[in-house]
Amino acid sequence: MPDSSFSVLARVRSFRPSWLSPKVLRTEVLAGLVVALALIPEAISFSIIAGVDPAIGLFASVTMAVTIAVVGGRPAMISAATGAVALVIAPLNREHGFGYLVAAVILAGVLQIALGALGVGRLMRFIPRSVMVGFVNSLAILVFMAQVPQLRNVPWAVYPLFAAGLAFMVLFPRITTAVPAPLVSIVVLTVITVAAGIAVPTVGDKGALPSSLPVPGLPDVPFTLDTLATVAPYAFAMALVGLMESLMTAQLVDEITDTRSSKTREAVGQGVANIVTGFFGGMGGCAMIGQTMVNVKVSGARTRLSTFLAGAFLMVLCIVFGPVVSDIPMAALVAVMVMVCFATFDWHSIAPRTLKRMPAGEITVMAVTVACVVATHNLAVGVVTGSVTAMVIFAKRVARLADVTAVTDPDGSQVVYAVTGQLFFASSNELVGRFDYAGDPDRIVIDLSAAHIWDASSVAALDAIEHRYAQRGKTVEITGLNGPSATLHDTLSGELTTTG
């Protein structure tokens, strides 16, 4: 009987979620609280950008975080109202009203589910590492730039509070890591400012916190094709921007935690979260990179519980403890975010030793990504531009690897051209000019044993070579094609326009 009881107990423990262990539970709970505090000023700021009441952004952060904690594909990642989404939908709210904004959020969610189901998450493997590094560095720069206005034209007391916050973040982990240093810093600095009556900007100065829960409902718009035509462009833009930021952030968390996540589930989860947020009258959102770094890198969270509690705590802090939260000095939160910037930035990527060893093309791609993000304040624009730049550099590099060498038989009856490398649109364009059409003998053999045909441009180039030799009464034999290359060549040869 004791053995049986022990077996049952062991089986129960094997099914127990990891976050139920006391140590992990403490980490997740405290991380969720720190993230909730860090979300408040950000959500209010993004609400102002979108042109809506601060309560809209705060409740959007609540519903996004709680929903994505359940349906998302990347544990410990934080989703909430974001600046990128706010910039996309602000013109719609300004020109047509809040009802159209909510309708766009819901439609964006539907589009994200569709894109997720179509496998858009799998496209992440085509993002080069140099773009990823540029993405990380540019987000650190953007988060830092967002904190700078909080340190301009402020009372002198802000600066020693800010310095004290940084000191707490650096020194407190040397004493203990049981409690996140950002939480200790926020609590201590709030107590000091309130007890001493120090007049500095606080969270309450950013906007009024909500005092009641939102009520679900349908957007206040006419359900017509005209409405759909109005909101669809904004919804599509929001869906793409939201997915790109979320999937890039998920990839970053994968690397930090050395774990894998389902990008398809994350894409679908973002859509579900935006639909839920829209029906609760929220402004929508996506993954928040800064707060995710607070949760994962600074606080050490690893499970969905921290994400769920970030949303739950945010709601409780706003509705129940609004007056207390309003007294938190902005200097404390700015100090937290500045430390996040320094922890997020990949300093190794710009070290002189690294730059000396790194290929020039990789450095260019990273620099282009950072420059575009900082110039446009849009991470999606930087990622797309950086990826396109990387593709162009890669195509030029691979095109140079294609080579042609000629060997003429001793009796002069035929010449064998050995083609090596990858044949695609960039390399095959130069292929036609590598043959001596007038000087070659009547029989020409093109040996492709060390080459691979990738596209129709290469097949067209081979057709053009055969055509030019045929004009001079000479025959061409193509040999050595591997299976895929032979299939592509047999399918398209003679069907494409030849050049003379």
Side-chain angles (χ1 to χ4, degrees), residues 35-47:
V35 172
L37 291 170
L39 277 172
I40 293 174
E42 299 284 306
I44 294 175
S45 298
F46 298 147
S47 299

Side-chain angles (χ1 to χ4, degrees), residues 319-377:
I319 296 176
V320 180
F321 299 102
V324 176
V325 173
S326 296
D327 289 334
I328 296 176
M330 285 300 300
L333 298 176
V334 170
V336 171
M337 297 311 296
V338 168
M339 284 302 297
V340 169
C341 297
F342 279 96
T344 302
F345 195 92
D346 187 352
W347 297 101
H348 176 72
S349 67
I350 61 171
R353 184 177 178 182
T354 303
L355 295 177
K356 287 180 181 178
R357 296 183 175 184
M358 190 75 68
E362 301 285 318
I363 297 174
T364 301
V365 171
M366 181 178 68
V368 167
T369 303
V370 173
C372 289
V373 171
V374 173
T376 63
H377 285 229

Side-chain angles (χ1 to χ4, degrees), residues 166-208:
L166 294 178
F168 265 112
M169 236 87 63
V170 173
L171 300 177
F172 191 79
R174 300 181 181 180
I175 302 173
T176 178
T177 56
V179 181
L183 181 59
V184 176
S185 175
I186 292 170
V187 171
V188 171
L189 294 182
T190 302
V191 171
I192 291 174
T193 54
V194 172
I198 303 174
V200 292
T202 64
V203 170
D205 296 330
K206 300 287 289 184

Side-chain angles (χ1 to χ4, degrees), residues 442-456:
D442 292 341
R443 176 174 166 75
I444 296 92
V445 176
I446 301 177
D447 183 7
L448 297 177
S449 300
H452 186 94
I453 298 176
W454 287 102
D455 59 8

Side-chain angles (χ1 to χ4, degrees), residues 224-248:
T224 62
L225 290 177
D226 288 339
T227 300
L228 180 62
T230 300
V231 303
Y234 296 95
F236 186 67
M238 175 184 165
L240 291 181
V241 169
L243 281 183
M244 188 167 295
E245 288 209 26
S246 299
L247 295 176
M248 290 290 287

